[in-house]
Amino acid sequence: MTDVTGTSNPSTSGTDPITPGTSPGPPAAPPAHRGLRADAAHQAAVARLRSAYAAIPPGQPVRLAKRTSNLFRFRDGRPPAGLDVSAFGHVLDVDPASRTAVVGGMTTYEDLADATLRHGLMPLVVPELKTITLGGAVTGLGVESTSLRNGLPHESVTEMEILTGDGRVVTAAEGNEHAALYRGFPNSYGTLGYAVSLTIELEPAAPFVHLRHFRFDHPDACMEAVAQIARDGSLSGHRADFVDGTAFGLDEMYLTVGAFSDVGPWLSDYTRERIYYQSIRGPKEDFLTIRDYLWRWDTDWFWCSRAFGVQNPVIRRAWPRRYRRSDTYRRLVALDRRYRLSAALDARRGRAPREFVTQDVEIPVERGAEFLRFFADRVGMSPVWMCPLRLRSTRAWPLYPMRPGQVYVNFGFWGTAPLPPDGADGHYNRQIEEQVTALGGHKGLYSTSYYSKEEFAERYNGAAYAKLKREYDPDGRLAGLYEKCVTLASSPP
Ligand SMILES: Cc1cc2nc3c(=O)[nH]c(=O)nc-3n(C[C@H](O)[C@H](O)[C@H](O)COP(=O)(O)OP(=O)(O)OC[C@H]3O[C@@H](n4cnc5c(N)ncnc54)[C@H](O)[C@@H]3O)c2cc1C
């Protein structure tokens, strides 16, 4: 580890100061910058978007023309013409007084975090892949290590400006005439409309994060520790501003508890030779700058960079640092899926075909150990990411009806598993869906799904969705949620 005490603290390095802070709270004052959306350039961009949308002939599929995506549903064939949303990819304003920001809907969290950290502030939840956008995280959900304290990313969004499926531009907020859209937008995946700007709350961020890795040799003990952190806000006296975990096996699981820190006695750097997920098994204590902490998983796309050899020291040194990023690896996977390269290679070598098992699921903490045992027994992929969460809201969000007050653990697993001789695609994913339902959990929809229409409607509140669809996209110009997430897995994003 490099001892760089005093050199990388933004308050002493000539960049804008980061205000030390350890007790994030609600905004200091109400949002004061609604008027920003009246900004001439923003208004002109919205008007252009409306015209572009109106010019698309009815019946033609619509997609967002974005440079990046974190969806794990890959389209076949030629993509349809898309809507140019590049004007909505930046932060409009950060207001330190009210601790809020107004943000273009297609702004990446990388840009958003940079803009807010300059003021010693950060979004309440920062998903760990740099190119996830604020609009994408709200409509497609997200989770990160502050989610036990702060819930999901959409729960700190106070207002959204949305181009609806029927071509209007409306402002949706709690308590206004579009409150139903505000609450139904999370988990609608761009099927009701597109968020062009959002107002979000921010919290104070200290310059460093002090991490401790706690090892457990049994899933029950690990899940009990999660429940205890949820009750007490700390583990073995270490404050839990951040909590996530990594399961390498049922007898080797870690919870990583992070506390905001005003000091960094030494600092690790996992953007070079060393690899973050491997460090979890090493020394029990670590320090990172807040920025390096936020992107600790991005450099190696959690552990998925190993599929490209980037964890081999020789290849790693040759692989340019600027390409050690999740969006680079995701592009490579998209190419592989498109041209079926690894499938062809497997077939040539006489290996069994593999199924993509890339999912995030939320399971009540009391049933988390059962899920881990099921997963180890039936699927067997490792590591598995574990991220505890609890809704911030006291009311459920209609299209992803998690129970308020309940502690869940998000389990994330991203890769492939070899199919048994009699197994067809869906062999693993269907079992996972059934188990998630049996354990009272939920499954995110950014990847493949196999639910029947009836089960999907039951799991994701089909009645509430149908009402919103009638209200905001009566002619069905945008795909329906079931079609987009299940039957048209090859549909445009
Ligand atoms: C391997 C993997 C791991 C992941 N891990 C995590 C994780 O740990 N934590 C986490 O938080 N998330 C995770 N995700 C999920 C990710 O947050 C969601 O897929 C999210 O929707 C991606 O946002 P994006 O901005 O990249 O949107 P895109 O991938 O471009 O689009 C996602 C969907 O959202 C719609 N959409 C995008 N922008 C808007 C907008 N402004 N308004 C309305 N609709 C819009 C698109 O039409 C599309 O249907 C993971 C995804 C993958 C593939």
Side-chain angles (χ1 to χ4, degrees), residues 352-353 355 418-428 431:
E355 178 178 340
L419 283 167
D422 57 342
D425 209 39
H427 171 83
Y428 295 109
Q431 291 184 65

Side-chain angles (χ1 to χ4, degrees), residues 63-64 66 68-73 104-107 125-129 131-144 153 185 188-191 193-196 198 301-302 304 330 358 360 385 410 413-414 445-447 484 492-493:
R63 68 178 271 269
L64 292 176
K66 283 169 78 238
T68 57
S69 170
N70 290 283
L71 272 187
F72 231 74
R73 298 191 293 269
M106 290 71 189
T107 306
V125 185
V126 179
E128 58 287 277
L129 308 181
T131 59
I132 291 178
T133 63
L134 180 55
V138 168
T139 194
L141 304 188
V143 62
E144 229 291 294
F185 201 71
S188 66
Y189 276 92
T191 65
Y194 296 123
V196 292
L198 305 93
W301 209 19
F302 289 85
C304 301
R330 199 243 174 226
T358 289
D360 277 67
W385 187 55
N410 176 98
F413 31 92
W414 315 291
L445 294 174
Y446 69 78
S447 185
K484 192 166 189 177

Side-chain angles (χ1 to χ4, degrees), residues 21-97:
T22 52
S23 54
H33 39 200
R34 277 171 196 231
L36 270 178
R37 296 207 180 102
D39 170 90
H42 180 73
Q43 291 264 316
V46 172
R48 278 196 306 277
L49 184 69
R50 281 188 77 175
S51 310
Y53 185 65
I56 297 174
Q60 182 168 343
V62 184
R63 68 178 271 269
L64 292 176
K66 283 169 78 238
R67 277 190 315 110
T68 57
S69 170
N70 290 283
L71 272 187
F72 231 74
R73 298 191 293 269
F74 296 91
R75 74 173 79 83
D76 293 325
R78 281 164 59 81
L83 274 182
D84 178 2
V85 285
S86 53
F88 307 101
H90 61 275
V91 177
L92 291 161
D93 185 50
V94 177
D95 180 11

Side-chain angles (χ1 to χ4, degrees), residues 25 35 38 45-46 81-82 131 138 149 209 216 223 282 308 326 330 387 411 425 451 457:
V46 172
T131 59
V138 168
R149 279 194 300 119
V209 180
F216 299 87
M223 293 300 113
F308 309 100
S326 59
R330 199 243 174 226
C387 186
F411 296 103
D425 209 39
Y451 296 115

Side-chain angles (χ1 to χ4, degrees), residues 385-401:
W385 187 55
M386 307 182 287
C387 186
L389 69 151
R390 179 165 46 194
L391 287 185
R392 187 174 183 232
S393 175
T394 51
R395 287 167 58 207
W397 296 84
L399 302 195
Y400 204 73

Side-chain angles (χ1 to χ4, degrees), residues 254-269:
Y254 298 86
L255 288 181
T256 298
V257 180
F260 281 121
S261 172
D262 296 333
V263 295
W266 73 84
L267 293 174
S268 294
D269 180 351

